[in-house]
Amino acid sequence: MSVQLLADLSVFVLSLLLGFEVIGRVPTTLHTPLMSAANAVHGIVLAGALAIALTAEGVLGYALVFVTAAFAAMNVVGGYVVTDRMLEMFRPRKGER
């Protein structure tokens, strides 16, 4: 295991723990607006995962890049789905105008 891979793995694990800690402390009323506003950040994470893919070496490096890119893509898609559902609540229903 190279030093660079160990450093990348350390950053990944620390960011995972920090993300759980931050999201766990957000009040329920702010979670949906926060998630919809964070789509740009998740897009940057996805771009970062693709940039790291250029320097990945070995099976473990490629597996970490794949997992990181998959989680970032799920966050982007999930954020847009939640935003769409949230905005659906404010649209008038058919026949209510």
Side-chain angles (χ1 to χ4, degrees), residues 34-54:
L34 176 67
M35 188 172 177
S36 64
N39 281 334
V41 174
H42 296 304
I44 293 170
V45 170
L46 184 59
L50 295 177
I52 289 175
L54 296 173

Side-chain angles (χ1 to χ4, degrees), residues 7-87:
D8 291 342
L9 185 59
S10 299
V11 169
F12 177 71
V13 170
L14 288 174
S15 64
L16 188 72
L17 294 173
L18 181 66
F20 278 128
E21 186 68 25
V22 169
I23 294 299
R25 294 181 186 263
V26 173
T28 307
T29 56
L30 294 178
H31 190 265
T32 302
L34 176 67
M35 188 172 177
S36 64
N39 281 334
V41 174
H42 296 304
I44 293 170
V45 170
L46 184 59
L50 295 177
I52 289 175
L54 296 173
T55 63
E57 294 178 8
V59 177
L60 182 60
Y62 290 126
L64 286 175
V65 166
F66 176 77
V67 168
T68 305
F71 282 160
M74 285 187 280
N75 276 331
V76 170
V77 171
Y80 282 114
V81 168
V82 168
T83 302
D84 186 54
R85 291 178 77 185
M86 180 182 71
L87 293 175

